[in-house]
Amino acid sequence: MFGHSRLAIIDLEGGKQPMLDTEAGFMLSYNGELYNYRELRLELIAKGHQFHSESDTEVLLKAWIEWGEEAVHKFNGFFAFSIYDKREKKIFL
């Protein structure tokens, strides 16, 4: 189980956490700020991802789905997160 409490700044309603992607089987708990989330969002949209919010939380989750651990190298900002991969039964912190 993941629990989360955060200071919500970007997309107060759309960035609720923990954030789930039931199709891909991931659960994310995140705090921080991705300065380049808008650019990453556009890159992910070009790759076919659809978004339901304007939050950097959802961008982080979709980036993880697209690039896995390599996504961390694309992030510009300050952050901490945990992500659970239900299919592999693994947690990344």
Side-chain angles (χ1 to χ4, degrees):
M1 179 186 337
F2 277 16
H4 186 88
S5 179
R6 75 178 181 125
L7 173 63
I9 296 173
I10 299 172
D11 193 0
L12 303 178
E13 291 303 314
K16 291 192 177 184
Q17 294 188 54
M19 186 172 278
L20 308 171
D21 188 303
T22 53
E23 258 184 56
F26 290 100
M27 182 181 334
L28 170 68
S29 181
Y30 157 77
N31 195 17
E33 185 176 351
L34 293 181
Y35 301 137
N36 63 332
Y37 80 97
R38 288 183 181 103
E39 293 86 356
L40 290 172
R41 187 176 192 273
L42 291 174
E43 187 175 347
L44 290 161
I45 288 170
K47 291 182 166 289
H49 291 272
Q50 296 180 340
F51 288 84
H52 306 288
S53 75
E54 295 295 323
S55 73
D56 59 346
T57 305
E58 188 176 14
V59 170
L60 191 151
L61 181 57
K62 299 289 186 181
W64 189 270
I65 291 166
E66 181 66 33
W67 298 300
E69 289 184 30
E70 291 301 311
V72 174
H73 300 291
K74 293 182 166 279
F75 300 154
N76 178 12
F78 65 97
F79 52 86
F81 70 93
S82 57
I83 192 157
Y84 175 63
D85 181 337
K86 184 176 180 179
R87 293 180 181 151
E88 296 291 324
K89 296 189 178 5
K90 293 181 180 179
I91 296 176
F92 179 91
L93 303 169

